[in-house]
Amino acid sequence: MRTILTFSGLDPSGGAGLHADIKTAKAIGLYPASIVTSLTVQNTCEVKTAVPVDTEIIRKQIEAIVDDVKIDCVKTGLISSAEVAKVVAEKIAKLDAPKVLDPVIFAGAGGKIGSVEGYRMLLKFVDVVTPNLTEARSLASAEEVKNTFEEAKDIALEINEKYGCNVVITGGELGGRDVVCENGSIYTVTAEFSPVNIHGTGCVYSTALACYLGLGNSLENAVRRARIFVLESVKKALRPGRCFPVVNP
């Protein structure tokens, strides 16, 4: 069995972060090794805060895992400080496995919880980054808001050129149309789209993408399979609390 190493926050409501990563990996058939980067205070209604885990603990956890387990792919999610990003970057740079970065800058339930500085630091150490359009603007320091394909294409090309990683701007703000920049070339992946804000979709998408890359898929095939996986998980969404429904991989 292949193994995915995930870095993510702990969502006490179980809809996103660590829980979503583990459920997704298991559904696809990978074994999840998981490192918690942040402890969050949130539920299905709102995100109140995110507290970074001590960097030395994170460092020692990574060293313990990679010394023992063969890692086939890596997914990095919530990074709430530049100090945590530095430790993660230093360690994943040594891993010979596809690496996906999901820049969780703004929580779906509301609130800014991720470190833009930290994510920019990590961009040079990953193969693919999967921001939504709002997060992509933050990474690229873009100020004009158009919510158009042309805007997404320009930002994806800018991130790819500056940091060297491939870019998938997920299509929640583009009517379900993902914009992919692979080695400087642009193409799109379109799937059925739900306008309802469902908690955890970004986590599930990026973890699924990492899993499919770890199984040997090309980026284009992995993007298409990850989009289908998220769609099916959205169709099975649950409402455990009073507010937003949560994705159900």
Side-chain angles (χ1 to χ4, degrees), residues 10 18 36 47 52 62 65 83 142 155-156 162 185 211:
L10 176 61
L18 175 70
V36 177
V47 179
I62 301 170
I65 292 299
E83 292 74 22
I155 292 175
K162 184 173 183 178
S185 296
C211 287

Side-chain angles (χ1 to χ4, degrees), residues 37-38 50-55 58 78-88 113-119 121-122:
T37 57
S38 298
V51 180
V53 172
D54 181 82
T55 54
I58 293 174
L78 178 57
I79 298 291
S80 50
S81 77
E83 292 74 22
V84 170
K86 184 177 180 181
V87 171
V88 173
I113 57 174
S115 166
V116 175
E117 178 188 358
Y119 285 123
M121 188 183 305
L122 281 161

